[in-house]
Amino acid sequence: MRWLVRILLFLVSLLYCSLGGVLVFVGAVYGVSKFSEFSGTLLDIIAVTLISVGGVLVLIGLLGIITSCVNSFSLSYIFSFILLLSIIIQILAAILFVIFRPEVENTITKAMDETYGSYYTQSTFYEKSLHQGWDMMQEHLQCCGGNSYKDWSSTLNGTAVPDSCCTEMKEGCGVLVDWTNPNTVYQIGCIERLWEVAGDHLEIILPSLAGFLVIQILGVCFSCCLARSVQVEDCQVY
């Protein structure tokens, strides 16, 4: 039975490592290009936060992997405590997100505002990824800019929007856009569209989040079970 608990604990830990690795990678993609000229912008702070949180998750995952491979009840109890603390922090973060949703939206808007200038350069991997990310989001969500198509007026001297903003996308369709009567581009902002899409798919999002929470709670249980099993075995030996 213990081998099954070890495998399940290993899988939970691997999930933590994978999630942390993704966060570190996203933050590092920005950091490699921009940290040489670090100026404390919102994107700088977000990148540092992603790398820090991702690094912590990777460490927690590695601790869990080690715990699943060794016979140490003290290490198992430590991991279960850290995992429980992580769950509490996530729940508090979710509550704060709901309470301060307007502030979160403003932060997202400001972060998006800092990306417009890098859209057309594409001289680094970050800028190329940013360009592709904006195009994918605007094309698939049928939106333009953060709040509206007017957000792109700060680029290219206000002469164009990305082609992915066009209702009928083709090369060069966003050039010389009519800012007063832009019938050829999506007028809704991507932030509003993201909230709409999230609201339309709550039946998928909420069970997924609940499932992730349950998996972590099971990780705490597996770790405690493993610790108790090893502890009982040690008592029997002595």
Side-chain angles (χ1 to χ4, degrees), residues 42-60:
L42 181 58
L43 286 180
D44 289 340
I45 295 172
I46 291 175
V48 171
T49 302
L50 288 176
I51 294 173
S52 301
V53 173
V56 170
L57 292 179
V58 170
L59 290 176
I60 293 175

Side-chain angles (χ1 to χ4, degrees), residues 71-83:
N71 287 323
S72 172
F73 66 86
S74 58
L75 196 60
S76 297
Y77 281 132
I78 291 173
F79 177 69
S80 62
F81 173 77
I82 293 176
L83 199 56

Side-chain angles (χ1 to χ4, degrees), residues 155-169:
T155 62
L156 298 181
N157 297 319
T159 60
V161 296
D163 292 342
S164 54
C165 281
C166 297
T167 54
E168 296 182 7
M169 198 179 87

Side-chain angles (χ1 to χ4, degrees), residues 87-138:
I87 294 172
I88 294 173
I89 292 174
Q90 290 173 57
I91 293 174
L92 291 176
I95 294 173
L96 291 175
F97 175 82
V98 174
I99 295 175
F100 296 104
R101 175 177 163 176
E103 287 77 7
V104 172
E105 289 186 4
N106 290 334
T107 301
I108 295 174
T109 299
K110 292 177 181 178
M112 285 183 166
D113 289 342
E114 294 182 9
T115 65
Y116 298 131
S118 301
Y119 176 83
Y120 290 101
T121 52
Q122 300 189 67
S123 59
T124 64
F125 180 71
Y126 159 71
E127 291 169 344
K128 292 177 182 178
S129 301
L130 179 68
H131 183 97
Q132 294 174 357
W134 267 114
D135 282 347
M136 288 179 60
M137 180 169 63
Q138 292 180 147

Side-chain angles (χ1 to χ4, degrees), residues 216-234:
Q216 294 179 88
I217 294 174
L218 289 176
V220 176
C221 296
F222 295 151
S223 184
C224 289
C225 289
L226 181 60
R228 183 58 180 168
S229 174
V230 174
Q231 194 172 18
V232 169
E233 184 179 87
D234 288 347

